[in-house]
Amino acid sequence: MALDLVLTLMALEPKTFNAGDKVRVTVSFKYVIGVNTTVKLLAGPYYTNLFGKHMVDPCVGQADVPLVAASMPTAGSATIDFLLIPKAQGGIDNGTYGLRVWVEDTNAVAEQDNVIIVTGNAGSGDMFTAMMPMLMMLMMLGMVMPMMQGLGGEETE
Amino acid sequence: MELKTLAIDLGEFKTLEEGTQPLQEPSAAGWYIDPKTGERIFYDPNTHKFYTMAGGVYIPLGYMNPAPKQVTLAPGEKLKITMSFKYAGPAIASAVCYYSIGVYGLFGFDEKMVGQNSKSIPQYVTPTQVTDSYTFTLPTNVGNDWDDIYCKIYGGSPGVPQTLFGYEQALLIVGKDPTISEFTIADFAKV
């Protein structure tokens, strides 16, 4: 049995945005549906780590898309905006992100890695902030170690 | 509104009472009733042989087949199913031509919609094509999984052997939930 797989690269070029920018995404699709209805389109940036892909939830935007009843596959398109909320406001950090768009309650999903480059978050390059957890740990070790040594000394006497 | 059609060929059969003529090979694979014994037999056109039982267990009925085409239907639209078969024998009064749309699965065919016609067939000396049809109108609550159909003919006087034939995934129901394909990101930009 032969299995033919066709992998099509999405032709999206990486683009650089500033934190606080609004991004507009255009999608195209085909659909069939028996009655006039409205579906919810969502889009936003995602990052990837060891545990998979994770949406940057505060930045996910949504839009309602009306679909006119069509019993034959019909071409459709829609736009959706989302805001790259700055890190200081609980949003997205500087870095490179993927872009995902999907239609709620359907299997319609499109995504591409590493196409959204976010810059301009003030303070993201602050070395002190980045090293705070390590410094805290060192400070705690510095406090605990003398106590442990003190306990050891009493036992030897 | 457009009327969509789907045709089913039941092959060839004779009345149950006929026992004097030699058994002719059916034109399609499937289960038939032996006019001599009344037993169910399976015909394989590849080997040109009939089968009854295997290992003491009847082979499951093989009346469902892959659909040759898929008809797209929405609530309110009409589907005309046409059955055809070849018949040779005495005139038959009031045979039942039965049609169903439903869900075919592990536990058989779950009939969601049924319809039937009473069919009288004149006497034919040679195998002659006979057709019958039924038109369904899909209700607004049609399920997206109502995509299987089958039909059968049975009964009458003199009686005809029950002959079934069906198609899996013959329908593409476009109900209240959308089916979206070729979903792609065309562009993205700062606004």
Side-chain angles (χ1 to χ4, degrees):
Chain A
M1 178 184 284
L3 183 63
D4 293 325
L5 291 176
V6 179
L7 299 176
T8 306
L9 286 174
M10 295 177 71
L12 297 177
E13 293 293 328
K15 293 181 181 175
T16 302
F17 301 91
N18 283 317
D21 282 353
K22 182 187 282 187
V23 181
R24 177 162 296 167
V25 184
T26 305
V27 292
S28 63
F29 53 87
K30 286 186 176 177
Y31 74 96
V32 290
I33 190 167
V35 295
N36 294 345
T37 192
T38 299
V39 295
K40 187 175 289 184
L41 183 65
L42 299 102
Y46 67 86
Y47 62 94
T48 306
N49 61 19
L50 281 175
F51 303 104
K53 295 176 178 177
H54 309 276
M55 297 304 299
V56 183
D57 291 330
C59 299
V60 173
Q62 61 182 48
D64 290 334
V65 179
L67 297 178
V68 179
S71 60
M72 299 300 290
T74 303
S77 66
T79 60
I80 177 172
D81 296 346
F82 65 87
L83 191 63
L84 295 171
I85 298 171
K87 174 72 173 176
Q89 298 170 27
I92 194 166
D93 203 350
N94 289 348
T96 303
Y97 297 84
L99 172 62
R100 180 184 294 168
V101 189
W102 72 101
V103 179
E104 192 176 63
D105 298 329
T106 73
N107 59 358
V109 180
E111 65 181 26
Q112 188 170 336
D113 293 339
N114 306 323
V115 287
I116 296 175
I117 301 166
V118 179
T119 61
N121 269 303
S124 280
D126 187 346
M127 290 288 287
F128 182 76
T129 306
M131 294 177 67
M132 266 301 281
M134 192 179 293
L135 287 173
M136 289 291 288
M137 191 170 288
L138 285 171
M139 285 170 67
M140 287 178 68
L141 278 171
M143 291 169 66
V144 171
M145 286 300 287
M147 291 170 66
M148 295 292 287
Q149 286 173 346
L151 286 170
E154 284 175 6
E155 284 175 5
T156 54
E157 290 174 2
Chain B
M1 183 169 288
E2 184 185 0
L3 177 66
K4 299 177 179 179
T5 60
L6 201 57
I8 292 177
D9 187 357
L10 289 174
E12 182 178 333
F13 57 84
K14 298 177 181 299
T15 58
L16 281 171
E17 283 76 6
E18 283 187 312
T20 55
Q21 296 179 6
L23 186 64
Q24 292 186 348
E25 284 193 352
S27 58
W31 286 87
Y32 297 81
I33 291 181
D34 186 335
K36 294 177 182 173
T37 65
E39 288 184 357
R40 283 180 172 176
I41 51 175
F42 186 83
Y43 176 72
D44 181 359
N46 295 320
T47 59
H48 299 281
K49 290 181 179 176
F50 291 91
Y51 297 88
T52 53
M53 300 178 80
V57 179
Y58 272 110
I59 299 169
L61 284 171
Y63 65 93
M64 294 300 289
N65 300 271
K69 68 173 182 177
Q70 199 171 39
V71 178
T72 304
L73 284 170
E77 288 193 319
K78 295 178 185 297
L79 173 71
K80 182 180 182 181
I81 301 177
T82 301
M83 73 161 73
S84 63
F85 51 88
K86 285 185 177 177
Y87 175 72
I92 298 172
S94 304
V96 177
C97 295
Y98 187 94
Y99 304 83
S100 180
I101 295 174
V103 183
Y104 181 66
L106 283 175
F107 303 104
F109 198 100
D110 181 10
E111 297 180 340
K112 299 295 186 183
M113 300 178 73
V114 296
Q116 64 182 50
N117 294 326
S118 178
K119 184 82 174 177
S120 292
I121 305 170
Q123 178 181 354
Y124 290 115
V125 179
T126 57
T128 304
Q129 189 89 355
V130 180
T131 63
D132 188 77
S133 63
Y134 189 89
T135 301
F136 289 97
T137 302
L138 264 68
T140 54
N141 65 342
V142 61
N144 281 13
D145 57 348
W146 296 13
D147 56 1
D148 304 313
I149 64 171
Y150 90 96
C151 63
K152 62 185 174 183
I153 183 169
Y154 63 93
S157 178
V160 297
Q162 176 170 279
T163 306
L164 303 89
F165 196 89
Y167 287 136
E168 288 186 75
Q169 297 180 348
L171 309 177
L172 174 61
I173 304 296
V174 287
K176 57 184 175 54
D177 298 320
T179 301
I180 296 175
S181 60
E182 300 179 32
F183 187 77
T184 57
I185 300 171
D187 189 26
F188 70 109
K190 176 186 174 182
V191 290

PDB file of all heavy atoms in Angstrom, chain B residues 141-166:
ATOM      1  N   ASN B 141     -33.712  18.708  11.624  1.00  0.00           N
ATOM      2  CA  ASN B 141     -32.866  18.130  12.686  1.00  0.00           C
ATOM      3  C   ASN B 141     -31.999  16.981  12.177  1.00  0.00           C
ATOM      4  O   ASN B 141     -31.549  16.148  12.956  1.00  0.00           O
ATOM      5  CB  ASN B 141     -33.749  17.629  13.842  1.00  0.00           C
ATOM      6  CG  ASN B 141     -34.646  16.480  13.428  1.00  0.00           C
ATOM      7  OD1 ASN B 141     -34.865  16.256  12.236  1.00  0.00           O
ATOM      8  ND2 ASN B 141     -35.173  15.758  14.391  1.00  0.00           N
ATOM      9  N   VAL B 142     -31.752  16.944  10.873  1.00  0.00           N
ATOM     10  CA  VAL B 142     -30.945  15.850  10.306  1.00  0.00           C
ATOM     11  C   VAL B 142     -29.554  15.849  10.937  1.00  0.00           C
ATOM     12  O   VAL B 142     -28.941  16.908  11.144  1.00  0.00           O
ATOM     13  CB  VAL B 142     -30.850  15.991   8.765  1.00  0.00           C
ATOM     14  CG1 VAL B 142     -30.194  17.296   8.354  1.00  0.00           C
ATOM     15  CG2 VAL B 142     -30.106  14.813   8.160  1.00  0.00           C
ATOM     16  N   GLY B 143     -29.087  14.667  11.277  1.00  0.00           N
ATOM     17  CA  GLY B 143     -27.762  14.555  11.886  1.00  0.00           C
ATOM     18  C   GLY B 143     -26.672  14.496  10.835  1.00  0.00           C
ATOM     19  O   GLY B 143     -26.897  13.980   9.728  1.00  0.00           O
ATOM     20  N   ASN B 144     -25.513  15.003  11.194  1.00  0.00           N
ATOM     21  CA  ASN B 144     -24.395  14.965  10.240  1.00  0.00           C
ATOM     22  C   ASN B 144     -23.954  13.535   9.943  1.00  0.00           C
ATOM     23  O   ASN B 144     -23.268  13.293   8.957  1.00  0.00           O
ATOM     24  CB  ASN B 144     -23.207  15.755  10.794  1.00  0.00           C
ATOM     25  CG  ASN B 144     -23.382  17.246  10.613  1.00  0.00           C
ATOM     26  OD1 ASN B 144     -24.476  17.697  10.296  1.00  0.00           O
ATOM     27  ND2 ASN B 144     -22.345  18.008  10.824  1.00  0.00           N
ATOM     28  N   ASP B 145     -24.339  12.586  10.833  1.00  0.00           N
ATOM     29  CA  ASP B 145     -23.921  11.199  10.623  1.00  0.00           C
ATOM     30  C   ASP B 145     -24.985  10.368   9.904  1.00  0.00           C
ATOM     31  O   ASP B 145     -24.816   9.169   9.744  1.00  0.00           O
ATOM     32  CB  ASP B 145     -23.558  10.552  11.963  1.00  0.00           C
ATOM     33  CG  ASP B 145     -24.701  10.598  12.956  1.00  0.00           C
ATOM     34  OD1 ASP B 145     -25.695  11.315  12.706  1.00  0.00           O
ATOM     35  OD2 ASP B 145     -24.604   9.917  13.995  1.00  0.00           O
ATOM     36  N   TRP B 146     -26.040  10.994   9.444  1.00  0.00           N
ATOM     37  CA  TRP B 146     -27.044  10.253   8.673  1.00  0.00           C
ATOM     38  C   TRP B 146     -26.544  10.127   7.231  1.00  0.00           C
ATOM     39  O   TRP B 146     -27.120  10.703   6.308  1.00  0.00           O
ATOM     40  CB  TRP B 146     -28.383  10.983   8.677  1.00  0.00           C
ATOM     41  CG  TRP B 146     -29.047  11.123  10.005  1.00  0.00           C
ATOM     42  CD1 TRP B 146     -28.499  10.907  11.234  1.00  0.00           C
ATOM     43  CD2 TRP B 146     -30.384  11.553  10.241  1.00  0.00           C
ATOM     44  NE1 TRP B 146     -29.417  11.178  12.219  1.00  0.00           N
ATOM     45  CE2 TRP B 146     -30.578  11.569  11.635  1.00  0.00           C
ATOM     46  CE3 TRP B 146     -31.436  11.935   9.408  1.00  0.00           C
ATOM     47  CZ2 TRP B 146     -31.797  11.952  12.221  1.00  0.00           C
ATOM     48  CZ3 TRP B 146     -32.642  12.310   9.984  1.00  0.00           C
ATOM     49  CH2 TRP B 146     -32.826  12.312  11.371  1.00  0.00           C
ATOM     50  N   ASP B 147     -25.503   9.388   7.056  1.00  0.00           N
ATOM     51  CA  ASP B 147     -24.857   9.397   5.743  1.00  0.00           C
ATOM     52  C   ASP B 147     -24.903   8.046   5.035  1.00  0.00           C
ATOM     53  O   ASP B 147     -24.277   7.863   4.017  1.00  0.00           O
ATOM     54  CB  ASP B 147     -23.412   9.876   5.865  1.00  0.00           C
ATOM     55  CG  ASP B 147     -22.586   9.057   6.836  1.00  0.00           C
ATOM     56  OD1 ASP B 147     -23.129   8.096   7.412  1.00  0.00           O
ATOM     57  OD2 ASP B 147     -21.403   9.366   7.021  1.00  0.00           O
ATOM     58  N   ASP B 148     -25.662   7.090   5.610  1.00  0.00           N
ATOM     59  CA  ASP B 148     -25.740   5.764   4.984  1.00  0.00           C
ATOM     60  C   ASP B 148     -27.157   5.517   4.463  1.00  0.00           C
ATOM     61  O   ASP B 148     -28.133   6.020   5.037  1.00  0.00           O
ATOM     62  CB  ASP B 148     -25.374   4.671   5.999  1.00  0.00           C
ATOM     63  CG  ASP B 148     -24.005   4.913   6.615  1.00  0.00           C
ATOM     64  OD1 ASP B 148     -23.070   5.194   5.850  1.00  0.00           O
ATOM     65  OD2 ASP B 148     -23.876   4.841   7.849  1.00  0.00           O
ATOM     66  N   ILE B 149     -27.262   4.743   3.417  1.00  0.00           N
ATOM     67  CA  ILE B 149     -28.584   4.405   2.884  1.00  0.00           C
ATOM     68  C   ILE B 149     -28.623   2.919   2.543  1.00  0.00           C
ATOM     69  O   ILE B 149     -27.590   2.304   2.289  1.00  0.00           O
ATOM     70  CB  ILE B 149     -28.941   5.212   1.618  1.00  0.00           C
ATOM     71  CG1 ILE B 149     -27.981   4.866   0.474  1.00  0.00           C
ATOM     72  CG2 ILE B 149     -28.906   6.705   1.881  1.00  0.00           C
ATOM     73  CD1 ILE B 149     -28.404   5.448  -0.846  1.00  0.00           C
ATOM     74  N   TYR B 150     -29.813   2.369   2.591  1.00  0.00           N
ATOM     75  CA  TYR B 150     -29.972   1.023   2.045  1.00  0.00           C
ATOM     76  C   TYR B 150     -31.409   0.879   1.561  1.00  0.00           C
ATOM     77  O   TYR B 150     -32.307   1.643   1.955  1.00  0.00           O
ATOM     78  CB  TYR B 150     -29.600  -0.059   3.062  1.00  0.00           C
ATOM     79  CG  TYR B 150     -30.719  -0.547   3.933  1.00  0.00           C
ATOM     80  CD1 TYR B 150     -31.437  -1.697   3.599  1.00  0.00           C
ATOM     81  CD2 TYR B 150     -31.052   0.113   5.107  1.00  0.00           C
ATOM     82  CE1 TYR B 150     -32.455  -2.169   4.409  1.00  0.00           C
ATOM     83  CE2 TYR B 150     -32.080  -0.343   5.922  1.00  0.00           C
ATOM     84  CZ  TYR B 150     -32.781  -1.482   5.571  1.00  0.00           C
ATOM     85  OH  TYR B 150     -33.794  -1.935   6.368  1.00  0.00           O
ATOM     86  N   CYS B 151     -31.597  -0.097   0.695  1.00  0.00           N
ATOM     87  CA  CYS B 151     -32.949  -0.397   0.250  1.00  0.00           C
ATOM     88  C   CYS B 151     -33.088  -1.901   0.083  1.00  0.00           C
ATOM     89  O   CYS B 151     -32.094  -2.629   0.058  1.00  0.00           O
ATOM     90  CB  CYS B 151     -33.288   0.334  -1.042  1.00  0.00           C
ATOM     91  SG  CYS B 151     -32.276  -0.130  -2.427  1.00  0.00           S
ATOM     92  N   LYS B 152     -34.316  -2.333   0.061  1.00  0.00           N
ATOM     93  CA  LYS B 152     -34.553  -3.772  -0.085  1.00  0.00           C
ATOM     94  C   LYS B 152     -35.909  -3.964  -0.741  1.00  0.00           C
ATOM     95  O   LYS B 152     -36.755  -3.055  -0.754  1.00  0.00           O
ATOM     96  CB  LYS B 152     -34.504  -4.464   1.281  1.00  0.00           C
ATOM     97  CG  LYS B 152     -35.557  -4.006   2.275  1.00  0.00           C
ATOM     98  CD  LYS B 152     -35.344  -4.651   3.636  1.00  0.00           C
ATOM     99  CE  LYS B 152     -36.308  -4.090   4.674  1.00  0.00           C
ATOM    100  NZ  LYS B 152     -36.065  -4.649   6.027  1.00  0.00           N
ATOM    101  N   ILE B 153     -36.090  -5.162  -1.254  1.00  0.00           N
ATOM    102  CA  ILE B 153     -37.385  -5.543  -1.805  1.00  0.00           C
ATOM    103  C   ILE B 153     -37.742  -6.890  -1.197  1.00  0.00           C
ATOM    104  O   ILE B 153     -36.863  -7.748  -1.015  1.00  0.00           O
ATOM    105  CB  ILE B 153     -37.362  -5.599  -3.345  1.00  0.00           C
ATOM    106  CG1 ILE B 153     -38.754  -5.921  -3.891  1.00  0.00           C
ATOM    107  CG2 ILE B 153     -36.307  -6.566  -3.872  1.00  0.00           C
ATOM    108  CD1 ILE B 153     -38.879  -5.728  -5.395  1.00  0.00           C
ATOM    109  N   TYR B 154     -38.990  -7.043  -0.834  1.00  0.00           N
ATOM    110  CA  TYR B 154     -39.422  -8.295  -0.209  1.00  0.00           C
ATOM    111  C   TYR B 154     -40.946  -8.417  -0.345  1.00  0.00           C
ATOM    112  O   TYR B 154     -41.631  -7.470  -0.717  1.00  0.00           O
ATOM    113  CB  TYR B 154     -39.012  -8.345   1.272  1.00  0.00           C
ATOM    114  CG  TYR B 154     -39.646  -7.286   2.131  1.00  0.00           C
ATOM    115  CD1 TYR B 154     -40.837  -7.532   2.820  1.00  0.00           C
ATOM    116  CD2 TYR B 154     -39.074  -6.031   2.248  1.00  0.00           C
ATOM    117  CE1 TYR B 154     -41.417  -6.557   3.609  1.00  0.00           C
ATOM    118  CE2 TYR B 154     -39.652  -5.044   3.022  1.00  0.00           C
ATOM    119  CZ  TYR B 154     -40.830  -5.317   3.709  1.00  0.00           C
ATOM    120  OH  TYR B 154     -41.416  -4.340   4.479  1.00  0.00           O
ATOM    121  N   GLY B 155     -41.436  -9.581   0.030  1.00  0.00           N
ATOM    122  CA  GLY B 155     -42.880  -9.803   0.082  1.00  0.00           C
ATOM    123  C   GLY B 155     -43.527  -9.923  -1.281  1.00  0.00           C
ATOM    124  O   GLY B 155     -42.887 -10.236  -2.287  1.00  0.00           O
ATOM    125  N   GLY B 156     -44.792  -9.627  -1.328  1.00  0.00           N
ATOM    126  CA  GLY B 156     -45.563  -9.725  -2.553  1.00  0.00           C
ATOM    127  C   GLY B 156     -46.174 -11.088  -2.742  1.00  0.00           C
ATOM    128  O   GLY B 156     -45.993 -11.994  -1.916  1.00  0.00           O
ATOM    129  N   SER B 157     -46.916 -11.203  -3.818  1.00  0.00           N
ATOM    130  CA  SER B 157     -47.556 -12.475  -4.121  1.00  0.00           C
ATOM    131  C   SER B 157     -47.449 -12.771  -5.610  1.00  0.00           C
ATOM    132  O   SER B 157     -48.004 -12.023  -6.415  1.00  0.00           O
ATOM    133  CB  SER B 157     -49.027 -12.437  -3.694  1.00  0.00           C
ATOM    134  OG  SER B 157     -49.662 -13.645  -4.030  1.00  0.00           O
ATOM    135  N   PRO B 158     -46.745 -13.833  -6.008  1.00  0.00           N
ATOM    136  CA  PRO B 158     -45.930 -14.691  -5.131  1.00  0.00           C
ATOM    137  C   PRO B 158     -44.749 -13.917  -4.569  1.00  0.00           C
ATOM    138  O   PRO B 158     -44.335 -12.920  -5.139  1.00  0.00           O
ATOM    139  CB  PRO B 158     -45.462 -15.803  -6.086  1.00  0.00           C
ATOM    140  CG  PRO B 158     -45.464 -15.157  -7.432  1.00  0.00           C
ATOM    141  CD  PRO B 158     -46.615 -14.190  -7.430  1.00  0.00           C
ATOM    142  N   GLY B 159     -44.242 -14.433  -3.442  1.00  0.00           N
ATOM    143  CA  GLY B 159     -43.232 -13.678  -2.713  1.00  0.00           C
ATOM    144  C   GLY B 159     -41.879 -13.631  -3.408  1.00  0.00           C
ATOM    145  O   GLY B 159     -41.475 -14.590  -4.062  1.00  0.00           O
ATOM    146  N   VAL B 160     -41.205 -12.518  -3.228  1.00  0.00           N
ATOM    147  CA  VAL B 160     -39.830 -12.418  -3.730  1.00  0.00           C
ATOM    148  C   VAL B 160     -38.891 -12.513  -2.532  1.00  0.00           C
ATOM    149  O   VAL B 160     -39.249 -12.113  -1.425  1.00  0.00           O
ATOM    150  CB  VAL B 160     -39.584 -11.094  -4.492  1.00  0.00           C
ATOM    151  CG1 VAL B 160     -40.453 -11.024  -5.710  1.00  0.00           C
ATOM    152  CG2 VAL B 160     -39.833  -9.897  -3.590  1.00  0.00           C
ATOM    153  N   PRO B 161     -37.712 -13.085  -2.730  1.00  0.00           N
ATOM    154  CA  PRO B 161     -36.766 -13.160  -1.610  1.00  0.00           C
ATOM    155  C   PRO B 161     -36.326 -11.763  -1.204  1.00  0.00           C
ATOM    156  O   PRO B 161     -36.152 -10.885  -2.051  1.00  0.00           O
ATOM    157  CB  PRO B 161     -35.585 -13.951  -2.193  1.00  0.00           C
ATOM    158  CG  PRO B 161     -35.671 -13.722  -3.660  1.00  0.00           C
ATOM    159  CD  PRO B 161     -37.122 -13.608  -3.977  1.00  0.00           C
ATOM    160  N   GLN B 162     -36.188 -11.596   0.107  1.00  0.00           N
ATOM    161  CA  GLN B 162     -35.723 -10.280   0.561  1.00  0.00           C
ATOM    162  C   GLN B 162     -34.317 -10.040   0.032  1.00  0.00           C
ATOM    163  O   GLN B 162     -33.406 -10.828   0.261  1.00  0.00           O
ATOM    164  CB  GLN B 162     -35.727 -10.205   2.090  1.00  0.00           C
ATOM    165  CG  GLN B 162     -35.168  -8.881   2.598  1.00  0.00           C
ATOM    166  CD  GLN B 162     -35.389  -8.690   4.087  1.00  0.00           C
ATOM    167  OE1 GLN B 162     -36.464  -8.306   4.501  1.00  0.00           O
ATOM    168  NE2 GLN B 162     -34.379  -8.987   4.873  1.00  0.00           N
ATOM    169  N   THR B 163     -34.133  -8.971  -0.674  1.00  0.00           N
ATOM    170  CA  THR B 163     -32.847  -8.628  -1.274  1.00  0.00           C
ATOM    171  C   THR B 163     -32.478  -7.223  -0.831  1.00  0.00           C
ATOM    172  O   THR B 163     -33.250  -6.287  -0.997  1.00  0.00           O
ATOM    173  CB  THR B 163     -32.938  -8.685  -2.805  1.00  0.00           C
ATOM    174  OG1 THR B 163     -33.451  -9.972  -3.181  1.00  0.00           O
ATOM    175  CG2 THR B 163     -31.582  -8.480  -3.438  1.00  0.00           C
ATOM    176  N   LEU B 164     -31.287  -7.127  -0.219  1.00  0.00           N
ATOM    177  CA  LEU B 164     -30.855  -5.841   0.337  1.00  0.00           C
ATOM    178  C   LEU B 164     -29.621  -5.338  -0.388  1.00  0.00           C
ATOM    179  O   LEU B 164     -28.810  -6.122  -0.863  1.00  0.00           O
ATOM    180  CB  LEU B 164     -30.507  -5.976   1.832  1.00  0.00           C
ATOM    181  CG  LEU B 164     -31.539  -6.498   2.803  1.00  0.00           C
ATOM    182  CD1 LEU B 164     -31.456  -7.997   2.898  1.00  0.00           C
ATOM    183  CD2 LEU B 164     -31.331  -5.863   4.158  1.00  0.00           C
ATOM    184  N   PHE B 165     -29.497  -4.050  -0.381  1.00  0.00           N
ATOM    185  CA  PHE B 165     -28.268  -3.437  -0.890  1.00  0.00           C
ATOM    186  C   PHE B 165     -28.171  -2.036  -0.307  1.00  0.00           C
ATOM    187  O   PHE B 165     -29.174  -1.341  -0.184  1.00  0.00           O
ATOM    188  CB  PHE B 165     -28.265  -3.369  -2.417  1.00  0.00           C
ATOM    189  CG  PHE B 165     -26.918  -3.115  -3.006  1.00  0.00           C
ATOM    190  CD1 PHE B 165     -26.072  -4.168  -3.309  1.00  0.00           C
ATOM    191  CD2 PHE B 165     -26.473  -1.831  -3.238  1.00  0.00           C
ATOM    192  CE1 PHE B 165     -24.815  -3.947  -3.847  1.00  0.00           C
ATOM    193  CE2 PHE B 165     -25.226  -1.581  -3.774  1.00  0.00           C
ATOM    194  CZ  PHE B 165     -24.388  -2.659  -4.080  1.00  0.00           C
ATOM    195  N   GLY B 166     -26.964  -1.659   0.087  1.00  0.00           N
ATOM    196  CA  GLY B 166     -26.815  -0.329   0.674  1.00  0.00           C
ATOM    197  C   GLY B 166     -25.461   0.268   0.394  1.00  0.00           C
ATOM    198  O   GLY B 166     -24.531  -0.406  -0.050  1.00  0.00           O
TER     199      GLY B 166
END
